[in-house]
Amino acid sequence: MFITTWSTTAVALSAGFIGVWLGVFLSRVCRARTSLTEVFCDREQPANRLLLAHMSSLSRRWKTPLWATGFLQSIVCGPIRRALLPDFQYTREELPSSEGGMVVLDFYPAPPLSPPQSVESNTAPPREQEQRNRILEESHAAPEQARVAGSPGLAAQLQSKRSLHTSLCSSCSSSCSCSSPCSSCVSPSSLPATSCADVSWQPPVMALIVPGFSSTSDSAYVRGVVNHLSAHAVACVVVNHRGVGTPLRSEKVFTVGDHEDVRVAMVRLRQLYGSEVRVVGIAFSMGGNILLNYVAAHDDMVGAMSICQGYDGLAAVRHIESQQPFFRRVLLAKQKQYVREHRHILRQRLDVDHVLAATDLFELERRFTCALRPESGRSPEQYFDGASCLHRMHRIERHFPLLLLNAMDDPLVPTRLAELTVALSSAHPNIIAAHTSHGGHLGFMMSDSVWRPTARSFADEVALEFIHAVLLLQSRRAHTETKS
């Protein structure tokens, strides 16, 4: 009897001990899946203080699914988010370019109804001009209703002239001195020094989005940010890479540093929305390199955000080649698929079979991009290094708001490259660097439970807050100039 009682007690104590141990273990695991964001910038700058004050996501913890390591997020985030996101339809414009190629823009919501125009001059050779006219005729062939199919239109999406203003005020209620809800913000002259600005008197706001390598407007992370921004009255346009999910009409293929198509998109936005349109650039991975190269050469945007970029292109590719065999095979396969899809055009200047026989990224680019576009670099090393935005960051205007977001568990961007942003933020007062402990490559999955992710990502939230903060900064500066 005594032995039986002792055995029962021992089993109960053991079970209790194991239960407590499992509870402690699981709680630590759950805490480990709570991501923190470390921010680096010159906090003495008034502009940075204002931006950070209105980007609350950067100062709070956020949870990721228990299983979502950086590697897994980088692989499965796309299919999972696609299943969770609502479906919507872009309005596409195909703009002929001077060399006979085509720049493809996807709008959501639909832009104002006006015929697509070439942003180049109309002095092209007759054959090229004939091709442009044919493309324009095709774009006009569908009735007007087709241009807005699946989209409520910009006017309906923005709801009212005060829609974005109300959204802005709700995000900065802690520092806004206006009466509820900012009813006194009716004109620039009536703004108190500490109030937010009424955007109803200001030009339209657009988010210009540049996808990553081999990605399109249909990629899950792009659709995710478009869905989140458009739900909060920010219209979006996606600049697709030439030949990636779109027709390739000339031998000019996309490169990791060429920002000409972003320039074309900016010209088109001014045609559609007026010269005073305010554009904030949002770019992912390789697209971030393209966007930062653009803002280093042009000053027609009001802010830019780069997500999961490596900054030093040559070092990033070397890391993938030597340390990430899985992703090396994925990128190599995608680039070869690009060559196969456009064989009929590329074979005029390339030995396509020779290109497809390459076994690593450097050799592929030597046979493909360097051969097709020698102005980009005679060798892959020159190509990747010459295209890197790291060499041009000093050219960006010192008053231009720039947010660099990286995850420390990104398998494609090693920590040493992500930490370049710390030095950049020290050298340039306009740069804010944000490092999250979790996120993977273009994942940033959030969770409201232990396992299940949400349709919205952390990067989506930060992008919206950044746009709102930039608009407030621009409004504050405009009000200061008006007073002076």
Side-chain angles (χ1 to χ4, degrees):
M1 184 68 178
F2 173 77
I3 295 177
T4 302
T5 303
W6 182 86
S7 300
T8 303
T9 303
V11 169
L13 289 174
S14 300
F17 174 78
I18 293 174
V20 171
W21 184 84
L22 284 175
V24 173
F25 174 77
L26 289 175
S27 66
R28 289 184 177 179
V29 170
C30 291
R31 283 200 301 270
R33 303 314 304 168
T34 300
S35 187
L36 298 173
T37 305
E38 197 171 6
V39 178
F40 305 89
C41 68
D42 183 358
R43 296 179 185 268
E44 298 299 318
Q45 295 292 324
N48 289 345
R49 292 202 301 270
L50 185 147
L51 291 172
L52 292 177
H54 298 97
M55 290 192 289
S56 60
S57 293
L58 297 182
S59 60
R60 61 175 173 81
R61 296 172 179 264
W62 52 282
K63 293 183 178 180
T64 62
L66 188 60
W67 52 267
T69 64
F71 183 84
L72 286 177
Q73 286 200 58
S74 306
I75 297 175
V76 304
C77 179
I80 292 176
R81 291 196 67 195
R82 177 169 292 280
L84 297 173
L85 287 168
D87 190 25
F88 60 86
Q89 182 180 344
Y90 292 104
T91 299
R92 173 160 291 189
E93 286 197 359
E94 298 179 343
L95 306 177
S97 57
S98 59
E99 84 291 342
M102 181 172 293
V103 179
V104 179
L105 306 179
D106 284 328
F107 291 84
Y108 187 80
L113 292 175
S114 66
Q117 305 170 16
S118 172
V119 296
E120 308 290 349
S121 65
N122 290 322
T123 59
R127 182 184 63 83
E128 294 182 356
Q129 188 63 45
E130 181 181 351
Q131 183 183 26
R132 292 189 199 180
N133 294 337
R134 177 178 57 80
I135 294 171
L136 289 177
E137 289 173 2
E138 292 174 356
S139 68
H140 297 161
E144 267 191 2
Q145 291 84 348
R147 285 182 47 78
V148 295
S151 171
L154 183 61
Q157 181 67 29
L158 296 182
Q159 299 175 359
S160 68
K161 296 175 69 176
R162 295 182 59 86
S163 174
L164 181 56
H165 176 49
T166 303
S167 176
L168 290 173
C169 291
S170 64
S171 68
C172 64
S173 56
S174 60
S175 60
C176 181
S177 63
C178 305
S179 58
S180 175
C182 284
S183 57
S184 64
C185 294
V186 293
S187 68
S189 60
S190 67
L191 288 173
T194 59
S195 70
C196 23
D198 182 9
V199 301
S200 64
W201 58 271
Q202 294 183 342
V205 180
M206 293 289 300
L208 184 146
I209 300 169
V210 187
F213 180 82
S214 74
S215 295
T216 69
S217 59
D218 201 43
S219 299
Y221 64 86
V222 176
R223 294 185 70 89
V225 72
V226 170
N227 177 71
H228 190 57
L229 295 181
S230 61
H232 292 80
V234 178
C236 302
V237 59
V238 183
V239 184
N240 292 285
H241 303 300
R242 296 200 184 196
V244 182
T246 63
L248 184 65
R249 299 295 177 87
S250 73
E251 297 173 356
K252 184 178 180 180
V253 298
F254 81 92
T255 67
V256 300
D258 187 1
H259 51 77
E260 173 63 15
D261 290 357
V262 176
R263 185 195 68 81
V264 171
M266 289 295 297
V267 173
R268 183 58 177 150
L269 291 180
R270 288 193 290 271
Q271 290 175 349
L272 290 171
Y273 298 95
S275 60
E276 298 301 315
V277 61
R278 294 174 296 166
V279 181
V280 178
I282 307 291
F284 299 87
S285 192
M286 180 201 74
N289 188 72
I290 294 174
L291 178 64
L292 295 193
N293 278 333
Y294 177 82
V295 298
H298 302 81
D299 60 354
D300 50 0
M301 291 186 181
V302 298
M305 176 180 177
S306 174
I307 303 169
C308 288
Q309 189 201 157
Y311 310 101
D312 185 338
L314 180 58
V317 176
R318 282 175 171 167
H319 165 76
I320 295 171
E321 276 285 346
S322 61
Q323 304 295 326
Q324 298 293 336
F326 173 81
F327 291 103
R328 179 184 68 82
R329 289 192 294 270
V330 170
L331 296 178
L332 192 63
K334 288 185 175 182
Q335 189 72 323
K336 287 184 177 182
Q337 181 62 29
Y338 180 89
V339 174
R340 290 190 190 96
E341 288 179 358
H342 307 298
R343 175 191 291 265
H344 61 290
I345 291 180
L346 300 177
R347 66 185 178 187
Q348 300 174 21
R349 289 187 53 191
L350 296 176
D351 182 347
V352 174
D353 292 332
H354 182 61
V355 174
L356 296 177
T359 58
D360 63 70
L361 294 171
F362 283 101
E363 191 58 34
L364 179 65
E365 295 302 338
R366 184 190 307 277
R367 301 177 184 183
F368 178 45
T369 306
C370 296
L372 198 61
R373 299 188 62 177
E375 73 277 7
S376 299
R378 294 289 180 178
S379 69
E381 290 78 12
Q382 288 181 351
Y383 165 53
F384 288 119
D385 184 60
S388 298
C389 67
L390 186 64
H391 306 312
R392 301 173 183 84
M393 299 290 282
H394 64 280
R395 301 179 187 173
I396 299 176
E397 296 289 340
R398 296 179 72 85
H399 67 273
F400 182 82
L402 181 57
L403 175 61
L404 308 177
L405 177 64
N406 285 91
M408 292 295 99
D409 62 351
D410 187 336
L412 274 73
V413 180
T415 302
R416 60 186 176 84
L417 291 184
E419 289 179 345
L420 290 174
T421 60
V422 179
L424 289 172
S425 64
S426 298
H428 304 279
N430 60 307
I431 294 179
I432 298 176
H435 295 171
T436 64
S437 51
H438 303 296
H441 191 72
L442 305 178
F444 297 103
M445 299 177 73
M446 298 177 67
S447 176
D448 51 10
S449 64
V450 176
W451 302 102
R452 180 178 174 82
T454 60
R456 185 179 69 258
S457 76
F458 177 74
D460 297 343
E461 287 195 349
V462 176
L464 178 64
E465 291 181 350
F466 177 69
I467 292 174
H468 284 181
V470 167
L471 297 183
L472 287 169
L473 177 62
Q474 293 293 315
S475 299
R476 188 71 57 83
R477 286 172 172 172
H479 177 58
T480 302
E481 292 174 0
T482 301
K483 288 180 62 177
S484 61

